[in-house]
Amino acid sequence: MKAYGKTDAGAIRAMNQDVIFYSENPVGTLPNLFIVADGMGGHRAGDIASSLAVKTFVDFIKRSQNINPITLLEEGIELANMAVIEKAFEDEGYHGMGTTIVVATVKDGLLYVANVGDSRLYLINDEIHQITRDHSYVEDLVSLGQLDKESARVNQKKNIITRAIGAEPNVVPDFFEVEYNGTDRFLLCSDGLSNMVSDEEIRKVITSEDDLSDAVHRLIDLANEHGGRDNISVVLVGR
């Protein structure tokens, strides 16, 4: 299994508040680890929130002796949430800051995933499957049958998220377990990609490029070609 990731400010924003982490090698008791976080807040606050959340999470995984992936993901997210909340109390300029997070690890033929917010994980083979469910206003409308997926992607309220790291003392991640055969690819991304590039475009790029880095760079280029209105982060894993 190989991995490649890249984050880009996009075509409009001067600051990149996204943070990625990826390791094909063991991190603590986990055999691998992949993360995308999309910060939000005022000047620099989103950058601090995403950086702190990822650092806190990774540091916890490195020192924990627990071997249960779900427990590790859950406890790591809880600690990241508290770290962001505590930091926000230190400075008025950090008030209201937060971040999304999507985390994944592969162990014993299973892909374990956790997410808070609207950063996503996709599984790609001949088809593309969104494994995570966005915690967002428009996703709630989709679930209620009041909006279709394509309309949701371009809806003006698509950036309103209903859960975030740092928003509440008790964060509630969603967890997913998917069988993983080692030959398929999976993608973690911020909404700077998924709002700019359709699922089918993502699938075509990933299945047409043999090299992971070529696929990642092409996806970021596409997001920028389509407007690049937000920071763009992509971590691609597979063969």
Side-chain angles (χ1 to χ4, degrees), residues 29-55:
T29 62
L30 293 179
N32 46 70
L33 183 60
F34 313 100
I35 307 172
V36 168
D38 179 358
M40 56 192 181
H43 179 63
R44 285 200 56 81
D47 176 38
I48 290 168
S50 56
S51 297
L52 180 59
V54 172
K55 183 180 186 305

Side-chain angles (χ1 to χ4, degrees), residues 3-8 16-23 33-39 47 50-51 54-55 58 99-102 119 188-190 216 220 231-236:
Y4 183 79
K6 190 175 190 306
T7 183
D8 185 88
N16 189 349
Q17 296 187 329
D18 287 1
V19 174
I20 65 172
F21 175 91
Y22 62 98
S23 176
L33 183 60
F34 313 100
I35 307 172
V36 168
D38 179 358
D47 176 38
S50 56
S51 297
V54 172
K55 183 180 186 305
V58 173
T99 182
T100 70
I101 196 166
V102 58
S119 292
L188 296 82
C189 68
S190 62
V216 167
I220 290 174
N231 306 149
I232 309 154
S233 290
V234 181
V235 174
L236 182 59

